[in-house]
């Protein structure tokens, strides 16, 4: 299996005035293509900080972080957007869809930004929305979609970017159990088929069985790892 | 990006409508102020611009067309005999009082021209002929004077500077910048009407036409050498001098400029605030695009497209309103000039207004930290 993300002694320390707070401390991990990994832990355990570093949004203060072999800690801030564009997509708890754009247009927008030719982008968008079960609702505005449907649009958008890594922050946080589970099953199936590396930060214990591996965090450290592939 | 911007604008109809109203208000005001200013300026020099000839000889330090000192009439012969002058003509502009039918009086501007060739006289007649002022106490009144002087018919008599003049024609297009009605008489009658100021041996202007092949600067130089105590201008320069006098000396230009500037700022504030609010509302969506690798420039295009759409829509509606209101202005005796270059200038100003108003939003976008997306 190819390592999508590899971290060694990964550390993030925030300086708050004269006080230093260690949000993530010496984390070692390797996340591979085709895996769906759960990042679990209580609030303040460092999940979001770790996810932000893996998403090249926050720069680590120590250790090593490699995305497909490229060392992130040595890059300047200006290089990180290019890494994100090439390797990383996001799914958020709040969906973050443009309310004025239909499901179809929200997905198309990412492809437009990537400079994909219109006819190809159109086919791809329709295909992805069909795969997430929204072929009948692709021309609906987000306000006319349920929470689960909105999150499925966000998944289609994340997949449209063709990024090998998908980072999902509490993707089921705004959904009821049934819808949350359905969304995760879709994400897992598509990620598996397309050999993506999916990392999901969540509080939701009820979807644990979806993950190939689970990393449990506490006080900035991975205190436990469990799962089929571990 | 333009289509996405259009969708964002059309989604929030109430806000977009208010923004559009703001742009229309500001742009219509800019159009109106510019149009009226240019109309006034055109009016202020309309007789100069409509009179044939290339060179105007005026009294020394003459500030404008309307307030010029008398010149000795013999200068006309000096001009006529100058090398490079094809023809020359005299023109009198003076001020007088006209008695109203019902007994009141009004100030009028009297223009005395040679009816044999019509130089300096009315160029568009509604009733009568401009030659009919010859050989008698005859006058032509411009139709724009009716508002001040009441309904005047050809054949009526009016007292100007205590002389009874018979109205022999009604001219068109000769509105006065000073709002005093313009009355045309023969050159000789104008001299007689105001014997103390003009008199039989004085004129106000001498107008000269260049002979073919003579450069204007050379002829003007000859005239300056030959004539002492006068100013010599090209027609264009004297027209501009008159326009600048009214623009600068009276503060008219400043007041129009100030109104245009205020309208511009109002428009900028309205559009700026709307786009900024919309940007703040969509900050997470923009952040998501940035997180997925969109550059700041990609998002700037979206913001600027919104500004451009507001500008173009607002401009088009304002243009229609302005075109429709030209007749309304004319009905109130005001001239509004909306030329092609004014259209382009206002379009440019509208685009600058809307695009610069988007700059605050651009700063906001520049500062978006994708990390906000993880903060709930």
């Amino acid at each position: 299996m190819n390592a999508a993300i590899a971290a060694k002694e990964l550390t993030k320390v925030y300086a708050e005035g004269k006080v230093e707070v260690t949000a993530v401390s010496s984390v070692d991990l390797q996340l591979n293509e085709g895996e769906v990994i759960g990042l679990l832990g209580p609030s303040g355990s460092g999940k979001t900080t770790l996810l932000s570093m893996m998403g090249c949004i926050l720069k680590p203060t120590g250790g090593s972080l490699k995305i497909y072999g490229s060392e992130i800690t040595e890059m300047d801030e200006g290089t990180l957007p290019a890494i994100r564009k090439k390797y990383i997509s996001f799914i958020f708890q709040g969906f973050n869809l443009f309310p004025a754009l239909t499901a179809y247009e929200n997905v198309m927008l990412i492809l437009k930004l990537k400079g994909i030719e219109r006819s190809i982008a159109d086919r791809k968008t329709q295909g992805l929305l069909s795969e997430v079960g929204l072929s009948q609702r692709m021309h609906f505005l987000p306000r006319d979609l349920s929470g689960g449907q909105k999150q499925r649009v966000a998944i289609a958008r994340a997949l449209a970017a063709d990024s090998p890594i998908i980072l999902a922050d509490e993707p089921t946080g705004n959904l009821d159990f049934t819808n949350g589970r359905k969304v995760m099953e879709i994400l897992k199936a598509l990620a598996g088929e397309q050999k993506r590396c999916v990392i999901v930060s969540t509080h939701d214990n009820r979807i644990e069985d979806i993950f190939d591996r689970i990393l449990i965090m506490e006080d900035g450290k991975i205190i436990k790892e469990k799962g089929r592939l571990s | 990006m333009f289509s996405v911007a259009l969708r964002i604008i059309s989604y929030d109809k109430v806000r977009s409508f208010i923004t559009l109203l703001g742009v229309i208000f500001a742009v219509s005001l800019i159009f109106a102020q510019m149009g009226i200013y240019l109309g006034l300026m055109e009016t202020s020099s309309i007789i100069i611009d409509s009179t044939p000839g290339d060179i105007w000889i005026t009294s020394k330090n003459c500030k404008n067309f309307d307030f010029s000192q008398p010149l000795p009439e013999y200068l006309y012969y000096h001009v006529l005999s100058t090398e490079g002058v094809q023809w020359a003509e005299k023109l009198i502009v003076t001020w007088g009082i006209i008695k109203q039918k019902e007994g009141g009086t009004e100030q009028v501007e009297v223009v005395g021209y040679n009816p044999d060739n019509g130089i300096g006289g009315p160029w568009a007649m509604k009733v009568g002929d401009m030659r009919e002022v010859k050989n008698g106490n005859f006058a032509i009144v411009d139709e724009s004077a009716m508002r001040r002087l009441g309904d005047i018919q050809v054949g009526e008599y009016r007292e100007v500077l205590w002389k009874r003049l018979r109205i022999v024609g009604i001219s068109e297009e000769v509105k006065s910048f000073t709002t005093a009605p313009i009355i045309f008489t023969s050159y000789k009658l104008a001299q007689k009407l105001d014997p103390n100021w003009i008199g039989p041996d004085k004129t106000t202007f001498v107008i000269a036409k260049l002979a073919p092949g003579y450069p204007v600067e050379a002829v003007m130089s000859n005239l300056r050498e030959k004539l002492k105590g006068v100013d010599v201008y090209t027609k264009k320069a004297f027209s501009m001098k008159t326009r600048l006098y009214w623009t600068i000396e009276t503060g008219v230009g400043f007041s129009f400029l100030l109104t245009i500037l205020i309208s511009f700022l109002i428009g900028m504030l309205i559009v700026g605030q709307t786009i900024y609010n919309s940007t703040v509302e969509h900050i997470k969506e923009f952040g998501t695009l940035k997180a997925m690798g969109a550059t700041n420039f990609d998002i700037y295009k979206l913001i600027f497209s919104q500004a451009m759409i507001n500008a173009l829509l607002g401009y088009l509606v304002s243009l229609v309103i302005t075109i429709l209101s030209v007749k309304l202005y004319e009905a109130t005796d005001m001239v509004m000039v909306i030329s092609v270059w004014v259209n382009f200038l206002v379009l440019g100003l509208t685009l600058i207004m809307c695009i610069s108003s988007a700059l605050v939003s651009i700063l906001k976008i520049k500062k978006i930290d994708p990390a906000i997306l993880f903060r709930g």
Side-chain angles (χ1 to χ4, degrees):
Chain A
M1 263 186 193
N2 288 332
I5 299 173
K8 207 162 175 66
E9 298 282 313
L10 189 64
T11 301
K12 178 70 186 178
V13 179
Y14 291 107
E16 289 179 4
K18 287 180 181 172
V19 183
E20 288 193 339
V21 178
T22 304
V24 172
S25 174
S26 300
V27 166
D28 293 338
L29 52 79
Q30 181 176 319
L31 310 176
N32 303 315
E33 284 178 349
E35 276 190 302
V36 180
I37 298 122
L39 197 56
L40 273 70
S43 290
S45 60
K47 299 190 302 289
T48 299
T49 303
L50 182 59
L51 208 63
S52 301
M53 286 193 287
M54 290 192 287
C56 300
I57 281 171
L58 269 185
K59 267 198 91 173
T61 49
S64 157
L65 174 66
K66 287 183 178 172
I67 308 280
Y68 280 92
S70 300
E71 182 55 68
I72 300 303
T73 48
E74 288 168 6
M75 289 181 185
D76 58 50
E77 298 278 349
T79 318
L80 296 180
I83 295 289
R84 289 201 298 266
K85 192 172 187 174
K86 190 170 179 189
Y87 295 114
I88 301 159
S89 280
F90 296 87
I91 298 168
F92 300 100
Q93 182 177 352
F95 322 121
N96 299 353
L97 301 173
F98 275 98
L101 305 183
T102 62
Y104 171 86
E105 289 163 335
N106 266 290
V107 178
M108 275 290 274
L109 184 56
I110 286 292
L111 296 168
K112 260 189 200 170
L113 288 172
K114 293 213 163 216
I116 310 285
E117 196 191 310
R118 193 180 163 80
S119 59
I120 298 170
D122 173 64
R123 273 200 304 278
K124 188 166 185 171
T125 301
Q126 295 206 33
L128 283 166
L129 286 169
S130 298
E131 284 186 70
V132 296
L134 290 174
S135 54
Q136 302 299 314
R137 295 192 161 246
M138 59 175 83
H139 298 296
F140 280 46
L141 290 170
R143 68 173 176 218
D144 301 321
L145 298 173
S146 69
Q149 287 167 335
K150 282 181 208 170
Q151 199 57 292
R152 281 191 263 164
V153 178
I155 290 172
R157 181 174 64 179
L159 293 170
D162 266 342
S163 316
I165 300 166
I166 295 174
L167 300 176
D169 186 37
E170 302 284 358
T172 58
N174 282 347
L175 307 178
D176 59 38
F177 174 70
T178 315
N179 269 310
R181 195 163 179 87
K182 205 180 278 178
V183 160
M184 284 309 301
E185 279 166 358
I186 290 169
L187 186 57
K188 179 169 180 171
L190 291 174
E193 278 169 27
Q194 298 174 12
K195 291 283 172 219
R196 316 277 184 122
C197 172
V198 181
I199 302 117
V200 179
S201 155
T202 184
H203 282 102
D204 194 347
N205 297 328
R206 298 169 300 178
I207 55 170
E208 277 187 24
D209 60 302
I210 301 272
F211 302 121
D212 297 318
R213 266 201 291 165
I214 293 170
L215 307 175
I216 298 172
M217 288 192 77
E218 208 173 290
D219 296 332
K221 292 178 194 292
I222 294 174
I223 55 159
K224 197 173 174 187
E225 182 175 339
K226 56 180 181 178
R228 292 198 303 267
L229 302 176
S230 61
Chain B
M1 279 301 160
F2 212 71
S3 60
V4 175
L6 195 60
R7 293 301 304 271
I8 290 174
I9 285 176
S10 60
Y11 180 71
D12 193 339
K13 289 184 177 61
V14 175
R15 179 160 55 192
S16 301
F17 181 68
I18 291 168
T19 311
L20 198 59
L21 277 185
V23 178
I24 291 168
F25 170 77
V27 178
S28 299
L29 210 55
I30 292 172
F31 255 131
Q33 293 297 303
M34 273 195 183
I36 293 170
Y37 168 75
L38 291 172
L40 284 174
M41 290 305 105
E42 190 179 277
T43 303
S44 73
S45 64
I46 195 161
I47 294 181
I48 304 171
D49 299 330
S50 307
T51 298
D54 305 304
I55 296 170
W56 282 63
I57 292 104
T58 73
S59 58
K60 194 81 188 161
N61 299 324
C62 164
K63 288 186 176 1
N64 62 47
F65 174 83
D66 303 278
F67 303 115
S68 186
Q69 302 284 322
L71 299 169
E73 200 180 51
Y74 64 78
L75 291 177
Y76 158 74
Y77 298 101
H78 289 330
V79 174
L80 199 58
S81 62
T82 302
E83 192 188 352
V85 172
Q86 187 179 26
W87 56 252
E89 192 49 83
K90 298 161 282 181
L91 185 72
I92 288 174
V93 175
T94 188
W95 292 83
I97 301 288
I98 189 168
K99 222 173 184 180
Q100 295 280 55
K101 254 184 195 170
E102 63 277 11
T105 58
E106 279 282 354
Q107 195 172 29
V108 289
E109 195 166 359
V110 179
V111 177
Y113 66 99
N114 180 352
D116 288 332
N117 56 29
I119 292 167
W123 52 93
M125 295 297 293
K126 193 174 180 187
V127 183
D129 190 291
M130 60 91 181
R131 282 168 297 199
E132 287 177 46
V133 294
K134 198 174 174 182
N135 298 332
N137 290 350
F138 305 130
I140 291 171
V141 179
D142 193 74
E143 65 171 347
S144 62
M146 306 281 184
R147 185 176 282 269
R148 295 281 291 273
L149 304 180
D151 186 29
I152 298 179
Q153 299 292 329
V154 169
E156 270 184 34
Y157 284 87
R158 285 295 173 98
E159 201 172 297
V160 178
L161 286 167
W162 302 276
K163 278 195 175 61
R164 276 185 93 224
L165 308 186
R166 188 155 73 91
I167 307 301
V168 292
I170 308 289
S171 65
E172 291 177 302
E173 301 176 11
V174 199
K175 282 179 184 162
S176 163
F177 176 81
T178 60
T179 72
I182 289 177
I183 287 189
F184 290 99
T185 67
S186 69
Y187 177 79
K188 283 182 181 157
L189 178 60
Q191 283 181 318
K192 285 182 209 157
L193 279 176
D194 196 358
N196 296 328
W197 178 245
I198 302 289
D201 53 357
K202 287 196 178 122
T203 184
T204 317
F205 302 108
V206 179
I207 302 157
K209 171 78 180 166
L210 285 177
Y214 281 87
V216 67
E217 279 308 323
V219 177
M220 283 174 69
S221 173
N222 288 344
L223 287 167
R224 283 190 188 114
E225 217 167 274
K226 200 168 183 180
L227 312 172
K228 300 297 169 199
V230 297
D231 284 333
V232 181
Y233 298 100
T234 61
K235 175 175 166 175
K236 200 174 168 189
F238 189 48
S239 170
M240 185 54 73
K241 188 178 175 70
T242 297
R243 289 177 178 213
L244 285 178
Y245 172 83
W246 291 114
T247 300
I248 298 165
E249 299 289 325
T250 62
V252 163
F254 179 72
S255 105
F256 276 101
L257 192 69
L258 192 67
T259 315
I260 289 169
L261 188 70
I262 290 170
S263 312
F264 184 86
L265 290 176
I266 289 172
M268 216 167 110
L269 282 175
I270 293 171
V271 181
Q273 197 188 338
T274 317
I275 293 182
Y276 183 77
N277 285 346
S278 168
T279 305
V280 169
E281 273 177 27
H282 292 116
I283 206 82
K284 288 210 162 186
E285 287 86 77
F286 289 133
T288 304
L289 295 182
K290 265 182 102 164
M292 292 199 191
T295 60
N296 279 334
F297 185 68
D298 290 327
I299 301 169
Y300 296 165
K301 281 194 281 184
L302 191 58
I303 305 276
F304 279 133
S305 297
Q306 287 183 61
M308 294 271 281
I309 291 167
N310 281 316
L312 292 174
L313 281 176
Y315 170 80
L316 286 175
V317 177
S318 304
L319 183 62
V320 171
I321 290 173
T322 305
I323 289 168
L324 292 175
S325 60
V326 167
K327 289 280 166 207
L328 194 72
Y329 281 100
E330 280 175 2
T332 58
D333 259 3
M334 290 172 87
V335 180
M336 199 175 180
V337 175
I338 305 295
S339 57
V340 174
W341 74 264
V342 170
N343 288 339
F344 281 112
L345 182 66
V346 176
L347 175 62
L349 277 176
T350 313
L351 287 173
I352 292 170
M353 176 178 87
C354 292
I355 288 171
S356 55
S357 67
L359 290 177
V360 184
S361 301
I362 293 299
L363 289 177
K364 185 82 183 167
I365 292 294
K366 203 173 175 183
K367 287 181 185 162
I368 296 180
D369 178 359
I372 59 160
L373 302 166
F374 290 108
R375 291 178 198 141

